[in-house]
């Protein structure tokens, strides 16, 4: 009888994909079967995030809860970014943890489950060409890592310390992986990396000369693949060739994440982001000119050390000018192994909270206007999920969540939908035709 595996995933899309890789390895090589019931699991894995402080604190309370609920003899493993940066300390603080597996060491999952107190957290490990087994949570949309690690040194960010240097995955391997996913029913691929448009900067053993634009062109040639998304690109590497490809390639979905972090050139410098407010605005204007229908989303940090009222006003100005559709906004959280944590001029929590509330309030107003303006429009929606009450959910080309009345037949179809109702998080519509 197969053993049962329970995995909790925190954090970004790369962690979600790492979870799929662990499930694949454990089910194919060790006969584990996924369960959603913690109490029946033989193996419990917490795949962690460490980008802000909160999830780290949550990890230790969660280990305590899981330890009480788990069945006799069940193992607990901690994987992901917090595993990378705390390593052995996790077992010292929580001896009930059986193994610790870093975000850069996921391919070793079948080894560490067999050892007591194994700690595999090397950030130099190169698993960029490791042939993971196949497992996908959603057969209609495939997530594919195109690079591992991050070569930037943004002063607020712990990721380079947890995921190591950036290594691109050879393009032929990517084409093989995507072709396989397409043959298994995926019409859409989501290309993943900490810094996707830096693709091709460095390979492991392979010798290849290709950049992200070249990769997009190569992937677009895959028969049966209809939609390409990617996250996250870096504003610094958004050159003209890339934006032209984004706008003109019909397979590339017109949704782009352009992480601002701050609108103040001075703060961007202190963050070591490598671009100015003007460059950022110029790139967004170019996107709007080439591709007016594109949805632009962003990440913003408020309360970064030294952020003055004037710096924050710069951020508000960029919000006003670009009118981001989606905003992921955070209060600055000092992280270990980062330069900014050592800066002296930390902003008080009260000031950061006031700024965050103002930013989010204004963004909500913009979002409501954007969503209300969708009523009456026609979107091409790719349906991938059945919902209760005869409803089916999918995403428009520009990434909006759309619901219609319907059943299984819509799953896996890309269909014209007329929008009839808008709310902040989603749109309702009616199907116009079915291809
Ligand atoms: N504090 C707050 N937000 C952070 N992010 C990364 N590091 C920190 C930090 N120390 C945010 C950035 C990044 C997103 C994934 O998380 O906005 O783009
Ligand atoms: Fe962190 Fe900057 Fe790398 Fe993004 S680009 S993962 S923010 S260091």
């Amino acid at each position: 009888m197969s053993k049962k595996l329970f995995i909790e995933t925190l954090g970004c899309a790369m962690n979600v994909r790492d979870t799929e890789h662990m499930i694949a390895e454990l089910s194919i090589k060790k006969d584990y079967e996924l369960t959603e019931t913690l109490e029946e699991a033989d193996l419990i894995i917490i795949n962690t995030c460490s980008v802000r402080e909160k999830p780290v604190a949550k990890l230790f309370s969660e280990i305590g809860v899981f330890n009480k609920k788990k069945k006799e003899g069940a193992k607990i493993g901690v994987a992901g970014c917090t595993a990378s940066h705390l390593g052995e300390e996790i077992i010292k603080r929580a001896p009930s943890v059986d193994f610790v597996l870093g975000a850069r060491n996921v391919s070793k999952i079948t080894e560490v489950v067999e050892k007591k107190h194994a700690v595999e957290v090397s950030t130099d490990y190169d698993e960029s060409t490791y042939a993971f087994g196949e497992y996908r949570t959603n057969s209609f949309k495939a997530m594919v890592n195109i690079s591992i690690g991050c070569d930037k040194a943004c002063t607020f960010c712990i990721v380079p310390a947890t995921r190591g240097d950036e290594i691109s995955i050879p393009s032929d391997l990517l084409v093989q992986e995507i072709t396989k996913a397409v043959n298994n029913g995926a019409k859409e691929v989501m290309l993943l990396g900490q810094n996707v448009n830096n693709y091709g900067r460095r390979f492991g053993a392979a010798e290849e000369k290709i950049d992200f634009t070249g990769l997009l062109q190569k992937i677009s040639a895959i028969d049966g693949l209809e939609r390409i998304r990617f996250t996250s690109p870096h504003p610094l590497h958004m050159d003209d060739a890339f934006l032209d490809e984004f706008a003109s390639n019909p397979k590339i979905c017109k949704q782009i994440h352009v992480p601002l972090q701050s609108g103040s050139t001075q703060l961007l410098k202190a963050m070591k982001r490598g671009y100015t407010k003007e460059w950022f605005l110029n790139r967004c204007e170019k996107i709007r000119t080439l591709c007016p229908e594109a949805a632009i989303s962003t990440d913003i940090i408020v309360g970064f050390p030294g952020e003055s009222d004037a710096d924050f006003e710069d951020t508000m100005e960029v919000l006003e000018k670009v009118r981001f559709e989606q905003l992921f906004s955070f209060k600055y959280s000092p992280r270990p192994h980062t330069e900014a944590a050592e800066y002296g001029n930390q902003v008080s929590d009260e000031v950061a909270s006031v700024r965050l509330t103002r930013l989010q309030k204004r963004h909500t107003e913009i979002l409501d206007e954007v969503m209300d303006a969708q009523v009456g429009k026609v979107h091409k929606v790719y349906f991938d999920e059945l919902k209760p009450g005869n409803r089916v959910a999918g995403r428009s080309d520009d990434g909006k969540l759309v619901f219609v009345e319907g059943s299984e037949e819509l799953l896996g179809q890309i269909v014209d939908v007329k929008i009839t109702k808008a709310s902040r998080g989603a749109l309702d519509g009616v199907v116009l035709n079915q291809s």
Side-chain angles (χ1 to χ4, degrees), residues 51 149-160 166 194-195 232 234 259 261 271-273:
V51 83
C150 179
D151 264 0
K152 294 274 178 268
C154 301
T155 56
F156 51 80
C157 187
I158 195 173
V159 169
E166 195 170 314
Q194 296 302 329
N195 196 347
S232 272
H234 194 299
Q261 312 302 359
M271 290 173 165
K272 295 206 175 141
R273 291 288 291 172

